[in-house]
Amino acid sequence: MGPKQANKWGDKVVETRNIDWLADNGALFTSMYASSPVCSPSRATMFTELYPYTLNISVNNRIMDTSYPTIATV
């Protein structure tokens, strides 16, 4: 993003030490795989590491069974 585009949100400089550290030292993701063509099953997979059919979520607007551990609970 260049300076012209950044100025759309104002010209104030914000220090982002932690984000800058992550950019310099963190992991670089070069590719991504979606487990489902719709978002709810893909998000459930991302948070549980289980496939949508294992979670019984194949379409959007389904509530995931809370007995599965998620990245947030771990």
Side-chain angles (χ1 to χ4, degrees):
M1 175 174 12
K4 265 187 169 178
Q5 184 161 351
N7 284 339
K8 291 181 181 180
W9 295 284
D11 58 358
K12 183 177 179 181
V13 175
V14 178
E15 297 295 325
T16 56
R17 290 186 305 270
N18 293 327
I19 294 173
D20 294 342
W21 185 91
L22 283 173
D24 293 338
N25 302 296
L28 176 65
F29 295 99
T30 59
S31 61
M32 177 65 180
Y33 172 80
S35 61
S36 175
V38 290
C39 65
S40 292
S42 281
R43 290 178 185 176
T45 296
M46 184 173 58
F47 287 112
T48 64
E49 297 184 338
L50 298 172
Y51 287 107
Y53 68 84
T54 304
L55 298 166
N56 196 26
I57 299 177
S58 59
V59 296
N60 283 335
N61 300 322
R62 278 267 179 88
I63 296 174
M64 189 179 82
D65 183 352
T66 58
S67 67
Y68 294 106
T70 66
I71 194 170
T73 59
V74 173

